[in-house]
Amino acid sequence: MYKRQIYDRNQRLLAVSTPVDTVWAEAQRFCAAETQWNSMLELLKLERSELKKACDKRAAGEFANNFMYVKRQVVPLLAEQVKALGIPGLHLQRDYKRFYPPGPAVGHLIGFTDIDGNGQEGIEKAYNETLLGVKGQQFVHRDSKGRFVEFVEQVEAVENGQALRLSIDSRLQYLASGYLEQAVRKHKARGGSVVMIYAPTGEILAMVDSPQFNPNDRSTFKPERFRNRAVTDVQEPGSTVKPFTIAAALESGQFTPESTIDTGKVPFRVPGGRISDTKPHGVMSLENIVVKSSNIGAAKLSMEIPYEDLYAILDRAGFGHKVNAVPAEASGVLPKRKRLIDRLTQSYGYGLNATPLQVARAYTVFANKGVLKPLTVLRQDDRVSVQGQRVFSEETNAQVLRMLERVATPEGPARRARVERYRVGGKTGTSRRNTGNGYEQGHYVSWFVGMAPMSDPKFVMAVMVDDPDPEVGGYYGGTIAGPVFSKTMRDAMRLYNVAPDKLDPEQEAQAKNRIAVRRGQQDGQI
């Protein structure tokens, strides 16, 4: 059955059904003509023994009908050559084969179909009925040989499938895929994920994973590679949670960005454990707790506000909840903690877990002035205003944004996430790798989550690299995940004609003029 196309946001094909032919046979006549098979076997690259085995089963009565597949999904030119051989009982039937033009770049997101066109993974499975439609039924008269004689009655009408237009930008999908693969190979990591979102509408622009598989080549199909890590793999997000802890403190009214916390010079001990930083920081402002990524600072700050307030902000930001935009998603876990040590570690990203998609969604709050909007993988009407839930005030949001921008300055821990001529902001995260049965000693997950341009944040992106080899190039989020963010965000700014916001007034005016000219020549506007 014909399955409709899947397009990206700019009407580029992501999946299409191409016409092929199925070679089938009336078994009794075909099997009796074995002496005429030689040329057909060579053309179709079939083994005589396999065909004879199928013939023997029908001769033994193992199948009630006389129908027999010879080979499915044969290119039409080759099928016509086979038909021209004139083998008795051999026929052709028009069929369709699913093809994915972007190849491995869309494998995890789009998924694939079985030989009959039924979706088995990803978008193909989630929207299978939409794309396929519904087969009709009719009564017909056939003769004793099963040949059509006349139409009698239409019992059920055919409902044709509908094409699907996704929010995905195949150009960004391809670019992000390449940059992630480079990072995974360079750092000898287990894998990784990238998610990019257009925050105003909640549209997912890119979602890629590593290692890849090619949906056009079934020899690459391995069950362990099918899963879409961006929505199935949960890990503790580490320090990427600290901006939400800061936001909770600011919302309490007890603190300002300049308020200070004494982080001391030694690990902070509490009943049940101790909390430490990579090096002593002493007295720190709230802003520097984010910039220097102090675990002790986040923990001590969280002790000054009710735990319920921090938990409520994390909950409203979507932690512990499914996004419900793509299939096979894990929900992540945001448990309510009772022990003091567990509550404190939650303030800097331990004791909860999330998928890369959920972490990316949480950061859209900062791009949307403190509001969390629903996400979608379907193209949205630009004229529709998407409503959301307020997580914290616009004032708090503006204060945290300034802190996030400092993280990605030349002096910050995410200097490798910077984008030339653009202001970007975000947060690094490095968490110990949790297998579900405890932490793996010496194994880490590297994060960077950020947005651009900071003068008017629109694009939000999360990068997660799973288990980089510390001996190759370290394991900190700014070092491992930051460059993937930088390269992908740089290309997004160019593709979407976003005016640079790190220029003096004269440079900015010239840049905007050049971009206005390009807009008439390029597609790619949101």
Side-chain angles (χ1 to χ4, degrees):
M1 188 175 180
Y2 179 73
K3 194 169 191 179
R4 297 300 297 272
Q5 297 93 334
I6 302 176
Y7 297 97
D8 82 343
R9 64 184 303 106
N10 298 311
Q11 295 286 23
R12 292 179 173 89
L13 278 170
L14 301 178
V16 60
S17 293
T18 57
V20 289
D21 285 310
T22 288
V23 182
W24 66 278
E26 300 171 56
Q28 190 173 4
R29 295 176 62 207
F30 174 75
C31 294
E34 183 188 343
T35 57
Q36 301 180 46
W37 287 2
N38 291 344
S39 296
M40 177 203 69
L41 293 173
E42 185 177 345
L43 285 169
L44 296 179
K45 293 181 171 55
L46 296 174
E47 294 293 331
R48 184 183 297 270
S49 59
E50 292 299 315
L51 273 183
K52 286 195 68 176
K53 191 184 297 183
C55 287
D56 292 342
K57 287 182 178 180
R58 280 160 179 80
E62 292 186 30
F63 295 94
N65 59 43
N66 195 33
F67 178 90
M68 173 179 162
Y69 281 123
V70 176
K71 189 168 184 178
R72 301 196 64 180
Q73 296 191 341
V74 178
V75 295
L77 181 61
L78 180 59
E80 287 298 329
Q81 290 177 299
V82 171
K83 182 181 178 182
L85 296 174
I87 299 173
L90 197 67
H91 304 280
L92 302 182
Q93 178 178 313
R94 180 43 49 98
D95 204 347
Y96 294 92
K97 182 178 182 179
R98 207 64 165 157
F99 177 66
Y100 305 93
V106 298
H108 294 97
L109 176 65
I110 302 299
F112 55 89
T113 67
D114 62 16
I115 199 167
D116 293 312
N118 296 302
Q120 300 298 293
E121 295 286 342
I123 296 296
E124 289 278 31
K125 183 177 182 180
Y127 292 92
N128 192 55
E129 290 187 10
T130 300
L131 293 162
L132 270 178
V134 179
K135 292 182 179 180
Q137 291 187 359
Q138 57 184 214
F139 287 134
V140 298
H141 286 154
R142 296 182 182 274
D143 64 17
S144 60
K145 294 184 178 180
R147 294 175 297 196
F148 175 82
V149 176
E150 65 176 344
F151 169 78
V152 177
E153 179 184 6
Q154 185 76 34
V155 180
E156 292 183 11
V158 174
E159 293 183 20
N160 294 318
Q162 299 177 15
L164 203 60
R165 189 178 180 189
L166 303 186
S167 60
I168 297 296
D169 186 323
S170 57
R171 301 167 304 174
L172 286 175
Q173 187 82 5
Y174 178 79
L175 291 164
S177 175
Y179 297 139
L180 179 64
E181 281 290 307
Q182 290 174 8
V184 168
R185 286 197 300 268
K186 176 181 178 181
H187 296 284
K188 297 182 179 179
R190 291 178 190 246
S193 297
V194 170
V195 177
M196 180 178 278
I197 299 166
Y198 184 64
T201 59
E203 292 173 287
I204 299 171
L205 297 177
M207 181 184 290
V208 300
D209 294 290
S210 175
Q212 300 176 332
F213 74 94
N214 187 348
N216 297 312
D217 182 2
R218 293 185 179 267
S219 68
T220 68
F221 285 21
K222 297 178 181 178
E224 66 271 18
R225 288 197 169 195
F226 291 163
R227 76 179 191 275
N228 185 350
R229 290 169 176 262
V231 299
T232 63
D233 287 18
V234 293
Q235 286 290 343
E236 289 166 313
S239 295
T240 62
V241 167
K242 286 173 184 169
F244 296 95
T245 301
I246 299 296
L250 294 172
E251 285 286 280
S252 72
Q254 303 175 52
F255 298 92
T256 69
E258 294 74 33
S259 299
T260 58
I261 296 289
D262 186 359
T263 64
K265 297 182 179 180
V266 296
F268 178 43
R269 296 183 180 274
V270 295
R274 69 174 191 169
I275 298 167
S276 59
D277 286 334
T278 55
K279 62 180 181 180
H281 293 297
V283 177
M284 305 182 75
S285 67
L286 266 63
E287 183 168 331
N288 278 332
I289 289 173
V290 173
V291 176
K292 302 294 184 182
S293 201
S294 170
N295 294 341
I296 296 174
K300 284 189 171 182
L301 182 63
S302 70
M303 293 178 68
E304 300 297 322
I305 59 176
Y307 170 70
E308 290 72 19
D309 292 356
L310 172 59
Y311 184 90
I313 278 185
L314 293 175
D315 180 65
R316 291 199 298 270
F319 289 102
H321 301 283
K322 288 185 177 182
V323 175
N324 292 319
V326 293
E329 182 188 2
S331 63
V333 177
L334 178 64
K336 274 198 170 181
R337 298 300 190 181
K338 294 183 178 180
R339 292 198 312 160
L340 176 62
I341 183 64
D342 295 331
R343 290 184 172 190
L344 297 186
T345 58
Q346 210 170 58
S347 72
Y348 56 87
Y350 282 85
L352 72 158
N353 60 41
T355 66
L357 177 61
Q358 288 156 6
V359 177
R361 173 181 62 175
Y363 269 68
T364 63
V365 171
F366 299 119
N368 286 326
K369 300 181 179 179
V371 173
L372 182 72
K373 296 182 179 182
L375 301 190
T376 180
V377 76
L378 301 178
R379 182 70 161 93
Q380 297 300 292
D381 188 330
D382 298 336
R383 297 166 295 181
V384 176
S385 177
V386 180
Q387 303 302 309
Q389 176 189 24
R390 180 156 293 283
V391 179
F392 37 71
S393 70
E394 285 193 41
E395 181 183 3
T396 292
N397 192 74
Q399 292 170 332
V400 176
L401 277 180
R402 286 193 289 272
M403 301 177 192
L404 293 176
E405 186 170 355
R406 273 197 61 199
V407 173
T409 59
E411 299 75 31
R415 52 187 173 276
R416 296 187 67 183
R418 291 177 297 148
V419 177
E420 185 180 3
R421 302 172 76 203
Y422 290 91
R423 293 164 51 201
V424 303
K427 185 70 188 77
T428 59
T430 307
S431 59
R432 296 164 64 192
R433 193 172 193 275
N434 196 329
T435 64
N437 296 314
Y439 296 110
E440 290 184 278
Q441 190 66 31
H443 296 265
Y444 302 90
V445 178
S446 304
W447 295 87
F448 184 78
V449 194
M451 64 207 73
M454 292 302 281
S455 57
D456 186 17
K458 292 290 191 297
F459 298 85
V460 174
M461 181 176 170
V463 181
M464 183 274 288
V465 179
D466 182 19
D467 200 15
D469 185 344
E471 299 298 322
V472 174
Y475 54 85
Y476 289 113
T479 304
I480 310 299
V484 179
F485 173 92
S486 174
K487 294 171 187 175
T488 310
M489 192 62 78
R490 173 200 64 196
D491 291 344
M493 298 296 98
R494 175 178 57 84
L495 289 170
Y496 285 94
N497 294 316
V498 178
D501 59 355
K502 201 173 184 181
L503 305 173
D504 62 42
E506 184 178 349
Q507 288 176 314
E508 187 171 358
Q510 292 172 351
K512 286 182 177 179
N513 184 58
R514 288 195 299 270
I515 287 170
V517 172
R518 287 205 304 270
R519 278 181 175 161
Q521 302 169 345
Q522 301 178 8
D523 60 1
Q525 283 79 15
I526 290 288

